[in-house]
């Protein structure tokens, strides 16, 4: 072996020991890389055992992705589960692991095909079955007392025949001795038909009719709908009352806390929003990662003048997307994080985020994203890259972007 090769060659035994430790800790990705380096540096006689260890790592990665897929399935996140299973199939070496991933994926595809067929050719009987599957006992008992007339009304609403559904439901309401959940359906029909005041009244009647310990999801939905209506009417205190009602409806569920926190953050109450969202974060640990919650925590932290915490939460959102091979980041997350990076002097990171956004699905803002990336690259002294981004920004501006067009032109002439 030449002197140069000796100086720069890796120690296969040390690499294998490092890889063994990583494998024992279930860090299969880094372990695989270390085994591959050891394999490249080893004599031919030792390569078979190392190659087998590489295969064991890929199977470990595949098993982890299968478990991730199962977790997503439990949350109802079908698309993310599919991505994990496809990733598992790409790396798995063991036939049993591949068969497990393929079996789960085949089941998802079959289910998706069935759902598509159902949505295209759903009969009224199937619509009724779908609706009835969502009712709990007290709700089902009341609805059963109204007979087929109620089912006909709900089918009409499901078909988006809102005025017809409202008329049918209100006819039932006129004769109902003690309506409770019927008020919920009447409220939905009225709102869908565009009658906000009457729809609001019906939902309030529903909440007043059910006991504190019943209603669950129905009570949550009614409270959140009323909170949204109060927000649209700029009635802050009223909206907060309904958000509190949503929390009482399902106190162990993170979703009402997330909704309340997002509302408070949107109204400029950063510290209060952060307190509510931290509760949501604790409760969400049972449900798995919800990137919307991480985003709200980041935005609320930024509003509460806690930039380090904001950056940490928003970086977790990006990590969630990149871990699933998605680079079309949520614009609010990416732009806020870019501003935080810029404030810290990390202009390159900020420019990278704007460059990613300039290739994403938020096409209406592509001109702005190209400009921001170009501006930051110009500040970094990367003149050629800056000019490319600014030239694209200039091509995307129109008459409605006069102010932006002026800023782009000024930088191009600088």
């Amino acid at each position: 072996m030449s002197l140069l090769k000796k100086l720069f060659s890796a120690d296969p035994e040390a690499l294998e020991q490092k890889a063994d430790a990583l494998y024992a800790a279930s860090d299969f990705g880094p372990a695989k890389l270390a085994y591959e380096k050891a394999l490249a540096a080893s004599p031919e006689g030792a390569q078979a055992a190392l190659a087998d260890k590489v295969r064991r790592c890929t199977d470990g990665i595949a098993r982890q992705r299968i478990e991730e897929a199962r977790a997503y399935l439990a949350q109802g996140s079908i698309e993310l589960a599919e991505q994990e299973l496809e990733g598992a199939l790409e790396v798995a070496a063991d036939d049993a692991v591949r068969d497990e991933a393929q079996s789960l994926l085949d089941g998802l595809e079959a289910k998706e095909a069935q759902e598509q067929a159902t949505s295209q050719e759903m009969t009224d009987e199937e619509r009724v079955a779908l609706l009835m599957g969502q009712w709990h006992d007290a709700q089902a008992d009341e609805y059963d007392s109204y007979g087929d007339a109620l089912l006909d009304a709900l089918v009409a609403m499901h078909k988006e025949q809102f005025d017809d559904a409202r008329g049918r439901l209100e006819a039932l309401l006129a004769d109902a001795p003690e309506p409770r959940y019927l008020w919920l359906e009447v409220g939905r029909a009225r709102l869908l038909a565009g009658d906000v005041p009457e729809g609001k009244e019906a939902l309030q009647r529903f909440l007043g009719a059910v006991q504190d310990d019943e209603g669950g999801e129905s009570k949550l939905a009614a409270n959140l709908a009323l909170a949204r209506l109060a927000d649209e009417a700029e009635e802050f205190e009223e909206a907060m009352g309904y958000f509190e009602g949503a929390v009482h409806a399902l106190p162990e569920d993170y979703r009402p806390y997330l909704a309340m926190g997002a509302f408070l953050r949107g109204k400029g109450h950063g510290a209060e929003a952060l307190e509510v969202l931290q509760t949501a974060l604790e409760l969400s640990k049972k449900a798995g990662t919800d990137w919307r919650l991480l985003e709200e925590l980041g935005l609320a932290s930024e509003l509460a003048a806690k930039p380090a915490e904001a950056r940490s939460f928003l970086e977790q959102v990006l990590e969630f997307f990149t871990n699933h091979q998605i680079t079309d980041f949520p614009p609010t997350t990416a732009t806020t994080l870019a501003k935080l990076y810029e404030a810290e002097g990390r202009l390159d990171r900020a420019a990278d985020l704007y460059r990613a956004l300039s290739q994403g699905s938020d096409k209406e803002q592509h001109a702005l994203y190209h400009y921001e990336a170009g501006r930051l690259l110009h500040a970094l002294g990367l003149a050629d890259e800056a000019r490319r981004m600014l030239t694209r920004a200039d091509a995307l501006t129109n008459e409605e972007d006069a102010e932006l067009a002026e800023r782009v032109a000024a930088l191009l002439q600088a």
Side-chain angles (χ1 to χ4, degrees):
M1 182 182 293
S2 69
L3 176 62
L4 209 58
K5 191 169 182 180
K6 286 182 180 178
L7 287 172
F8 289 99
S9 63
D11 179 356
E13 185 176 345
L15 285 168
E16 185 175 5
Q17 290 175 354
K18 176 184 176 182
D20 287 341
L22 289 167
Y23 184 89
S26 298
D27 291 335
F28 300 121
K32 174 178 174 290
L33 293 175
Y35 282 132
E36 287 173 341
K37 288 180 181 178
L39 184 63
S42 296
E44 289 186 12
Q47 289 185 345
L50 286 168
D52 182 62
K53 288 185 175 183
V54 170
R55 285 191 293 272
R56 284 161 50 195
C57 285
T58 60
D59 287 335
I61 294 168
R63 289 191 184 94
Q64 286 181 334
R65 300 202 71 166
I66 289 171
E67 289 307 309
E68 282 287 317
R70 292 186 189 279
Y72 284 129
L73 286 174
Q75 300 171 34
S77 302
I78 305 300
E79 291 184 6
L80 293 177
E82 287 179 339
Q83 291 172 6
E84 291 297 334
L85 292 170
E86 288 168 356
L89 284 172
E90 288 177 6
V91 299
D94 185 85
D95 288 341
V97 177
R98 290 184 59 80
D99 289 345
E100 183 180 0
Q102 189 63 61
S103 177
L104 285 170
L105 190 58
D106 289 344
L108 285 181
E109 290 172 351
K111 182 178 179 181
E112 185 177 352
Q114 290 168 356
E115 289 176 350
Q116 289 176 351
T118 300
S119 64
Q120 291 169 2
E121 301 176 9
M122 186 179 286
T123 65
D124 288 351
E125 290 78 9
E126 289 169 331
R127 288 188 175 92
V128 169
L130 177 64
L131 293 168
M132 292 176 70
Q134 300 170 12
W135 302 338
H136 52 78
D137 292 344
Q139 189 176 12
D141 289 343
E142 180 183 341
Y143 288 179
D144 187 55
S145 70
Y146 302 128
D148 290 343
L150 176 89
L151 298 178
D152 292 340
L154 295 182
V155 167
M157 187 153 59
H158 201 259
K159 291 180 175 179
E160 301 185 4
Q161 299 166 358
F162 303 131
D163 290 328
D164 181 31
R166 175 182 180 174
R168 291 171 181 269
L169 289 166
E170 290 183 340
L172 283 170
L173 188 65
D175 296 328
E178 294 183 21
R180 296 196 311 152
Y181 288 92
L182 182 57
W183 280 114
L184 174 66
E185 305 299 348
V186 169
R188 287 170 170 166
R190 287 174 176 175
L191 290 175
L192 290 168
D195 190 343
V196 172
E198 293 296 320
K200 179 178 178 179
E201 181 196 7
L203 293 181
Q204 290 170 330
R205 294 286 293 269
F206 162 67
L207 291 177
V210 293
Q211 301 297 318
D212 291 342
D213 61 347
E214 64 179 350
E217 288 282 349
S218 298
K219 192 184 289 186
L220 172 65
N223 273 292
L224 292 180
L226 287 166
R228 176 180 56 79
L229 294 175
D231 181 23
E232 291 173 354
E234 299 184 357
E235 296 289 345
F236 177 83
E237 295 297 335
E238 183 181 350
M240 281 300 299
Y242 288 123
F243 281 119
E244 290 171 8
V247 166
H248 290 309
L250 290 174
E252 299 302 315
D253 194 310
Y254 78 95
R255 292 172 298 164
Y257 292 94
L258 171 55
M260 183 193 290
F263 171 74
L264 286 168
R265 194 268 308 167
K267 298 302 177 186
H269 300 287
E272 294 84 352
L274 199 52
E275 183 178 353
V276 173
L277 291 166
Q278 288 287 359
T279 301
L281 183 62
E282 286 299 314
L283 293 173
S284 74
K285 291 177 180 177
K286 303 173 185 176
T289 303
D290 186 335
W291 68 265
R292 297 167 302 171
L293 174 55
L294 295 173
E295 179 180 70
E296 283 297 336
L297 281 160
L299 298 176
S301 297
E302 194 267 341
L303 184 60
K306 296 184 176 182
E309 290 88 340
R311 176 168 45 76
S312 175
F313 283 120
L314 296 174
E315 284 175 341
Q316 289 179 63
V317 177
L318 296 193
E319 183 180 358
F320 174 84
F321 278 82
T322 54
N323 283 346
H324 296 92
Q325 291 80 50
I326 301 171
T327 55
D328 189 3
F329 302 132
T332 303
T333 288
T335 53
T336 305
L337 188 54
K339 290 171 185 175
L340 290 168
Y341 282 147
E342 184 173 1
E344 295 175 0
R346 300 165 69 183
L347 305 189
D348 54 335
R349 296 293 300 275
D352 286 343
L353 285 176
Y354 283 121
R355 187 153 33 196
L357 288 171
S358 74
Q359 299 169 18
S361 58
D362 187 18
K363 296 184 182 298
E364 291 185 1
Q365 299 296 319
H366 273 194
L368 175 62
Y369 298 147
H370 278 96
Y371 163 74
E372 294 291 359
R375 176 181 64 82
L376 291 165
L377 291 167
H378 182 269
L380 287 165
L382 302 172
D384 291 341
E385 292 183 42
R387 177 164 291 277
R388 280 196 292 272
M389 298 303 289
L390 292 168
T391 301
R392 292 172 186 171
D394 184 54
L396 292 169
T397 55
N398 53 44
E399 294 179 0
E400 297 177 0
D401 302 321
E403 182 181 347
L404 177 60
E406 290 178 6
R407 286 186 281 163
V408 172
L411 266 182
L412 280 170
Q413 294 168 10

